[in-house]
Amino acid sequence: MSATHRPLGAQISHMLKSRGVSVVFGIPGVHNIEMYRGLEEAGLTHVLARHEQGAGFMADGYARASGAMGVCYLITGPGLLNSTTALGQAYSDSVPVLAIASCLDETAARKGQLHQMKDQRAAAETVCAWSETALTPDAAYSLVDRAFGEVASGRPRPRALHVPIAALGAPAPVFPAAPPKADPPRPSDSQIRAVVDRLLAAHRPLFIFGGGARGAASAIPRLLDQTGAAAFTTYAGRGLVPPDHPLLFGSFLARPDSADVIAEADLVIVVGSELSECDLWRTDLGHRSAMLRIDIDPAMLSGHAPDDLVVQGDAGALLQAVTVAIAARIDNRAPAWSAQQIVARRDVWRAAVAAERPGIPEICDVLRDALPDDAMIYSDMTQFAYAAKEIWDMPRPGHWHHPYGFGTLGYALPAAIGGAVARPGLPTVAILGDYGLQYTLPELGTAVELGLSLPILVWDNAELGEIKDAMIRAQIAPNAVVARNPDFIALAEAYGAKACTPETLQALARALSDALEAGRPTLIRMTPALVSLG
């Protein structure tokens, strides 16, 4: 097909390929088949999901693993709506996803059309950075490039592009060459000096690193040594500080008495974190000092006290510059924090997790030791993950992904599929609960089709354990928290996957290692009896 005679649907696929996209997740339907006309010719790989929510989660998982845009192709109306849970999760967790959906050509005068809804564009806008309809090829091309440009220069979040069915099938001119991309905002020399001055004036500085600080990973250990600062990480920031660093408090921010520790600091530096409810589970951080806030999103830099310092910019560029500037003024400072007291505090917090969720810490230790350092983990909303996020230190950043703010069930399996596609040959693991697995269980078929050596660790406590515990704490008689589970082993084998229920911790470690080499997914059912059985 000549480049000058392609329908718009095919041109969009070729344009995506030219912008660096290699994989698209989706489901073809009668309305969006023109988007599939040019897929193979463009050199794109299409991964067939079993549900549009799964396609959205796969695009999310791919983006988190690769650092590139995740793309999904959707059909009009219900296909787009099915994906909005995944798009909402991507929005909450700052994940770059581009959803491209067909839409009806006209909805005002004609009613009762297939897949018709009142306002498809507005529906997607509720969970995306923006949602726009392209009525012409030029508009479609402009919006695609706008999505890629904004993600490169600002906070990454999902975008939705809707293209009318007739336009997708109509001839379209060739898309333009890629425009230059803007860089993220960079701090000025005066801002860098102000940050350095604040750090050197502090006697007991404390850093809090969030997932948005990932670009600064190489600078962070040096910065802590230079300043003598201690550090917390958010759940999303795990791995930014080496796990064996003596002044790392870990990812225990949500422990209520972490506020007492934070109150001891004379400067709190928050880098790349919203400090959201899901980071703290309390109304305020607990600091009594001034705060230094560094974030790429200006919305995070408002509402601060007069003595605080806020800097908008890329955390990686800023902290690299700060380490250079500090080195020119001082050698490393002796820490004012006690490493022994930090270890003791971490031990207390781990013991609290173990008391709240018996058996899970021991299983976490076994799994962590059995996994290679470059393993990438995707977890779901399950008690197992809630405990693991606090006690499972990561050897490198950006290798544990969880549906944080939006908190969607069913995330882990399809997201892990997307992550495994992004990192062929590298270890990827899904961790989820017995109930959450059933939200997106059919995506197991996709993992089998792709031949992914994907361990799927299922915490089967035969109940909605977190909700049951919450009801008991609220003095509500537990209700609707027990559902009849299927035979997960038989289900997995019916899809063509491997499956097992290890009876000891040693057998669990062997099963995990075998699953990473299996050539197909393996469902590994874990039960609370694992610890008592040894």
Side-chain angles (χ1 to χ4, degrees):
M1 186 188 307
S2 169
T4 58
H5 292 87
R6 295 186 191 119
L8 178 57
Q11 294 284 29
I12 289 173
S13 290
H14 281 266
M15 181 182 187
L16 291 174
K17 181 67 175 180
S18 75
R19 294 336 188 229
V21 175
S22 58
V23 180
V24 172
F25 303 89
I27 302 175
V30 66
H31 279 182
N32 72 349
I33 55 174
E34 286 295 340
M35 293 160 62
Y36 285 76
R37 184 186 296 276
L39 271 173
E40 292 184 2
E41 183 185 67
L44 293 177
T45 296
H46 182 271
V47 175
L48 177 62
R50 299 303 191 262
H51 189 280
E52 287 88 1
Q53 184 180 103
F57 283 144
M58 289 177 196
D60 172 299
Y62 181 93
R64 296 193 200 213
S66 66
M69 182 82 80
V71 179
C72 53
Y73 279 0
L74 307 168
I75 62 165
T76 314
L80 182 280
L81 284 182
N82 284 342
S83 76
T84 52
T85 295
L87 295 175
Q89 190 61 63
Y91 184 90
S92 180
D93 289 349
S94 302
V95 181
V97 172
L98 177 59
I100 303 180
S102 56
C103 65
L104 295 175
D105 303 312
E106 186 279 320
T107 58
R110 185 180 175 193
K111 302 300 181 182
Q113 300 175 76
L114 177 67
H115 298 331
Q116 186 165 11
M117 57 187 296
K118 291 180 69 175
D119 195 334
Q120 177 175 312
R121 184 210 61 79
E125 189 172 46
T126 62
V127 289
C128 291
W130 53 254
S131 173
E132 301 290 355
T133 301
L135 300 179
T136 66
D138 286 345
Y141 301 152
S142 176
L143 288 167
V144 168
D145 276 334
R146 175 183 166 191
F148 279 87
E150 289 176 351
V151 163
S153 61
R155 184 173 184 174
R157 275 178 160 163
R159 275 81 175 163
L161 170 61
H162 312 268
V163 186
I165 299 166
L168 286 170
V174 179
F175 51 87
K181 290 180 182 177
D183 291 326
R186 291 182 176 271
S188 65
D189 290 344
S190 61
Q191 288 176 313
I192 294 171
R193 285 194 297 271
V195 170
V196 171
D197 289 342
R198 287 290 184 103
L199 288 172
L200 296 184
H203 299 288
R204 200 175 176 86
L206 177 69
F207 280 91
I208 298 174
F209 296 108
R214 194 174 305 164
S218 61
I220 287 172
R222 175 69 174 132
L223 183 60
L224 295 179
D225 292 342
Q226 288 176 321
T227 59
F232 280 93
T233 69
T234 67
Y235 301 135
R238 282 179 297 159
L240 284 167
V241 182
D244 59 354
H245 195 286
L247 300 184
L248 173 62
F249 280 104
S251 53
F252 289 105
L253 273 176
R255 292 286 127 188
D257 56 341
S258 72
D260 298 335
V261 174
I262 294 165
E264 296 177 19
D266 63 354
L267 177 67
V268 174
I269 310 99
V270 181
V271 187
S273 174
E274 286 185 331
L275 295 181
S276 69
E277 178 185 41
C278 299
D279 292 319
L280 303 176
W281 294 114
R282 57 180 182 266
T283 55
D284 60 82
L285 183 60
H287 65 295
R288 298 172 183 170
S289 67
M291 178 181 288
L292 198 170
R293 193 79 178 263
I294 300 166
D295 208 285
I296 199 170
D297 186 352
M300 298 298 103
L301 304 178
S302 61
H304 286 273
D307 291 339
D308 292 346
L309 174 64
V310 297
V311 180
Q312 183 189 6
D314 174 66
L318 175 58
L319 295 192
Q320 290 284 0
V322 166
T323 59
V324 172
I326 289 180
R329 292 172 59 174
I330 64 164
D331 294 324
N332 292 357
R333 291 199 310 197
W337 300 88
S338 165
Q340 291 76 19
Q341 290 176 356
I342 290 175
V343 169
R345 181 75 72 155
R346 287 183 57 126
D347 288 344
V348 168
W349 287 332
R350 179 185 166 100
V353 174
E356 294 164 1
R357 310 192 194 282
I360 293 179
E362 292 88 341
I363 299 175
C364 286
D365 292 343
V366 169
L367 295 174
R368 183 183 60 239
D369 292 343
L371 283 173
D373 282 354
D374 61 347
M376 186 165 284
I377 299 169
Y378 292 83
S379 60
D380 214 287
M381 300 295 286
T382 170
Q383 284 188 317
F384 193 95
Y386 303 154
K389 288 186 302 176
E390 291 193 274
I391 64 172
W392 190 324
D393 290 324
M394 294 299 291
R396 58 187 69 186
H399 276 62
W400 188 302
H401 306 291
H402 184 81
Y404 293 106
F406 209 42
T408 55
L409 277 163
Y411 169 81
L413 175 56
I417 292 170
V421 170
R423 304 167 72 241
L426 296 175
T428 304
V429 179
I431 297 177
L432 56 169
D434 53 336
Y435 207 84
L437 172 63
Q438 295 177 73
Y439 270 57
T440 50
L441 177 65
E443 304 305 345
L444 185 57
T446 299
V448 171
E449 285 178 349
L450 295 172
L452 301 178
S453 296
L454 176 65
I456 303 165
L457 296 160
V458 180
W459 178 245
D460 185 359
N461 59 3
E463 63 184 14
L464 288 167
E466 188 71 10
I467 309 308
K468 176 183 174 181
D469 291 348
M471 286 180 167
I472 292 172
R473 288 194 299 270
Q475 298 184 341
I476 298 171
N479 194 310
V481 292
V482 177
R484 185 184 185 280
N485 278 341
D487 184 336
F488 290 118
I489 303 300
L491 263 177
E493 291 174 343
Y495 273 104
K498 298 182 70 176
C500 63
T501 302
E503 295 186 353
T504 66
L505 293 176
Q506 293 76 16
L508 173 62
R510 289 194 299 271
L512 178 57
S513 296
D514 291 344
L516 292 170
E517 306 292 337
R520 52 179 166 152
T522 303
L523 189 148
I524 302 173
R525 179 172 167 264
M526 306 181 298
T527 70
L530 256 176
V531 176
S532 61
L533 291 171

